[in-house]
């Protein structure tokens, strides 16, 4: 957090925007836990004051009960991530801001505190979530314009904006965000591909009908509902006899080099290079870990099986594409370029589509 945001951080209390029943994310165990303020006020306030993400809705509001649901669909984001994105936004006095993904309302409240009346519009697709955020904002004495709508469409009635901030992951930067932002304005949004859940914050400068810029840091956010991936089940790709009929080979790519975990550059970079592909990393059992790959344009699939103590991993591939070959080529490309981190990559968005690049737009390719 930069020092100019410190007064806002002190004034906009995260606890004022949380419901009584929440599901903080346990960073060590990698799971969500249930905390009810009525039953455990100390635990609830401790979670509110912690630098962790807190789920506030499951399964688009269809979830009932107190146990965690299936898919987290609204949350209070990790404070350090939010304030790092606010710093990246480079706000000046008097700027107009569109906040995409109201959620609890805390980020919209922070923007209002910084920018003042009539300058901040926040949009949320879920009416119930939006109404609860509006109530909490009003109670806190913060009054951004609160709109119910699809964040993908932006909100033209309050445009043009100097800044667009999304606290929801996107797979495509909507053209509406560009057209509703003044030339020279900024779009700051978590962006990634369907290859994995790995996102990175894109800081894009808006030009004449396009936007371009570097990524600033790795993150992972819930995805914009209009851009969520709906993937057929494993059996739709790999029938019972599928492994026996697949083409087989081996690879010298190692598990340690390839399966690097959250917030690392490998899955993000591979997503930039391998089109229309999803990776699924399975848990390791008895020294073996399979990693699966599924095509999005057809039913191609691949599997690489890493085993402890073996110098080569077995590979199975089937379908019109050889997905592992594509993934391995992308991995070798990443290694050959010095294993670049997120910040060496960038994104350019035009009416013709999205192009990724490394170091500068001169070396770019279509996503």
């Amino acid at each position: 957090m930069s020092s100019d945001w410190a007064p806002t951080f002190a004034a906009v209390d995260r606890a004022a925007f949380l419901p009584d029943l929440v599901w903080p994310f346990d960073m060590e165990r990698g799971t969500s836990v249930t905390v009810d303020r009525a039953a455990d006020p100390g635990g609830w306030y401790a979670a509110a004051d912690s630098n962790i993400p807190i789920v506030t809705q499951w399964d688009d509001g269809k979830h009932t009960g107190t146990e965690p649901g299936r898919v987290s669909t609204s949350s209070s984001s990790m404070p350090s991530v939010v304030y790092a994105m606010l710093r990246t936004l480079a706000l000046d006095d008097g700027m107009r801001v569109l906040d995409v993904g109201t959620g609890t309302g805390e980020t919209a409240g922070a923007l209002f505190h910084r920018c003042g009346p009539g300058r901040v519009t926040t949009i949320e697709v879920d009416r119930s979530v939006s109404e609860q955020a509006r109530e909490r904002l009003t109670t806190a004495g913060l009054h951004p314009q609160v709109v119910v709508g699809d964040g993908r469409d932006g909100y033209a009635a309050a445009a043009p904006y100097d800044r667009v901030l999304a606290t929801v992951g996107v797979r495509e930067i909507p053209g509406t965000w560009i057209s509703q932002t003044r030339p020279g304005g900024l779009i700051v949004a978590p962006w990634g591909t369907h290859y994995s859940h790995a996102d990175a914050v894109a800081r894009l400068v808006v030009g004449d009908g396009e936007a371009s810029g570097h990524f600033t840091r790795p993150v992972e956010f819930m995805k914009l509902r209009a851009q969520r991936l709906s993937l057929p089940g494993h059996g739709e790709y790999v029938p019972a006899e599928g492994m026996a009929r697949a083409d087989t080979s081996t690879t010298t790519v190692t598990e340690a080099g390839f399966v690097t975990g959250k917030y690392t550059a490998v899955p993000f970079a591979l997503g930039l290079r391998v089109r229309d592909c999803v990776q699924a990393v399975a848990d390791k059992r008895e020294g073996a870990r399979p990693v699966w790959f599924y095509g999005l344009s057809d039913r191609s699939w691949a599997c690489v099986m890493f085993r402890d103590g073996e110098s080569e991993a077995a590979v199975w591939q089937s379908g019109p594409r050889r997905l592992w070959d594509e993934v391995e080529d992308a991995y070798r490309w990443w290694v050959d370029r010095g294993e670049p981190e997120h910040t060496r990559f960038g994104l350019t968005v035009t009416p013709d589509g999205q192009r990724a690049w490394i170091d500068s737009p001169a070396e770019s390719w279509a996503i």
Side-chain angles (χ1 to χ4, degrees), residues 171 192-199 219-221 223 262 267 279:
R171 294 297 172 254
T193 66
H194 288 308
Y195 181 84
S196 72
H197 293 298
D199 296 338
V219 291
E220 188 172 306
F221 273 79
K223 310 313 176 212
K262 282 187 176 184
Q279 171 189 278

Side-chain angles (χ1 to χ4, degrees), residues 152-214:
R152 176 182 54 179
D153 300 330
Y155 189 66
Y161 302 102
D162 299 286
R163 301 289 188 265
V164 174
L165 173 66
T167 51
V168 59
V170 296
R171 294 297 172 254
E172 295 180 15
I173 299 294
T176 51
W177 296 2
I178 298 174
S179 64
Q180 292 173 20
T181 303
R182 66 165 175 81
L186 293 180
I187 296 172
V188 175
W191 183 96
T193 66
H194 288 308
Y195 181 84
S196 72
H197 293 298
D199 296 338
V201 175
R203 182 187 185 275
L204 308 179
V205 180
V206 175
D208 183 13
E210 65 177 42
S212 185
H214 274 92

Side-chain angles (χ1 to χ4, degrees), residues 58-358:
W58 296 95
D59 305 323
D60 295 333
K62 300 180 179 67
H63 169 262
T64 59
T66 60
E67 293 302 309
R70 188 175 63 87
V71 178
S72 55
T73 50
S74 191
S75 71
S76 171
S77 299
M78 194 171 183
S80 62
V81 173
V82 172
Y83 276 86
M85 292 176 69
L86 291 173
R87 180 187 62 209
T88 301
L89 208 58
L91 277 179
D92 287 329
D93 293 342
M95 284 188 170
R96 302 177 65 87
V97 183
L98 175 65
D99 170 49
V100 178
T102 307
T104 65
E106 181 190 359
T107 302
L111 289 167
F112 179 87
H113 181 273
R114 178 70 185 269
C115 298
R119 298 292 177 179
V120 178
T121 299
T122 182
I123 186 167
E124 168 63 49
V125 70
D126 190 304
R127 181 173 297 276
S128 175
V129 170
S130 178
E131 290 175 350
Q132 292 171 30
R134 183 196 300 272
E135 292 176 2
R136 293 181 181 120
L137 284 161
T138 300
T139 300
L142 303 166
H143 304 284
Q145 182 177 19
V146 181
V147 176
V148 178
D150 191 336
R152 176 182 54 179
D153 300 330
Y155 189 66
Y161 302 102
D162 299 286
R163 301 289 188 265
V164 174
L165 173 66
T167 51
V168 59
V170 296
R171 294 297 172 254
E172 295 180 15
I173 299 294
T176 51
W177 296 2
I178 298 174
S179 64
Q180 292 173 20
T181 303
R182 66 165 175 81
L186 293 180
I187 296 172
V188 175
W191 183 96
T193 66
H194 288 308
Y195 181 84
S196 72
H197 293 298
D199 296 338
V201 175
R203 182 187 185 275
L204 308 179
V205 180
V206 175
D208 183 13
E210 65 177 42
S212 185
H214 274 92
F215 295 101
T216 66
R217 60 176 288 161
V219 291
E220 188 172 306
F221 273 79
M222 298 174 188
K223 310 313 176 212
L224 190 74
R225 294 190 186 185
Q227 294 183 6
R228 285 180 188 164
L229 175 65
S230 179
L231 186 69
H234 178 81
E236 295 291 318
Y237 286 91
V238 188
E241 71 283 2
M243 300 292 281
R245 295 185 177 182
D247 294 337
T248 60
S249 60
T250 60
T251 179
T252 57
V253 173
T254 66
E255 179 183 1
F258 189 82
V259 184
T260 51
K262 282 187 176 184
Y263 312 120
T264 58
V266 176
F268 182 77
L270 295 183
L272 296 179
R273 300 292 296 180
V274 184
R275 300 184 62 153
D276 301 322
C277 178
V278 176
Q279 171 189 278
V281 180
D283 293 335
K284 178 176 284 191
R285 296 181 180 178
E286 298 179 354
R289 184 196 301 278
V291 181
W292 294 88
F293 306 89
Y294 306 100
L296 295 178
S297 56
D298 54 45
R299 289 295 185 267
S300 297
W301 64 268
C303 176
V304 56
M305 180 70 76
F306 296 108
R307 295 185 183 276
D308 292 347
E310 295 188 2
S311 59
E312 294 187 339
V315 176
W316 296 262
Q317 302 185 85
S318 182
R321 297 169 64 187
R322 289 298 175 262
L323 289 180
W324 172 253
D325 292 349
E326 294 181 31
V327 170
E328 183 170 6
D329 285 347
Y331 178 78
R332 304 290 186 191
W333 175 92
W334 177 76
V335 171
D336 289 344
R337 277 157 182 77
E339 302 183 0
E341 294 295 327
H342 302 75
T343 52
R344 283 185 59 190
F345 292 105
L347 182 71
T348 297
V349 186
T350 72
D352 295 326
Q354 302 183 120
R355 295 186 70 83
W357 39 269
I358 184 168

